[in-house]
Amino acid sequence: RQGDYPKAVADLTNYLTIAPTSTETLARRADYRARTGRYPEAFTDFDAAIKLDPQNYQLYLRRGLLSLHTKAY
């Protein structure tokens, strides 16, 4: 179902048990967690993705946008 972010988070969490180093999965889960107001968990996911791929500027951008949105700067 479109917009079913809690289900999407659950599905992505299940996928991460198979592929725990998937930075795109971590980032997508962070986005969906943020959309449901789970900001601390979203930051944790972005931080984990950045740790795995520190050269990926898009991860920093997405984390920065979340910081702006939540005024966590």
Side-chain angles (χ1 to χ4, degrees), residues 12 60 67:
L12 293 167
Y60 292 97
S67 293

Side-chain angles (χ1 to χ4, degrees), residues 3 6 12 30-31 44 52 58 68:
L12 293 167
D31 288 336
T44 298
L52 289 168
Q58 291 183 1
L68 284 174

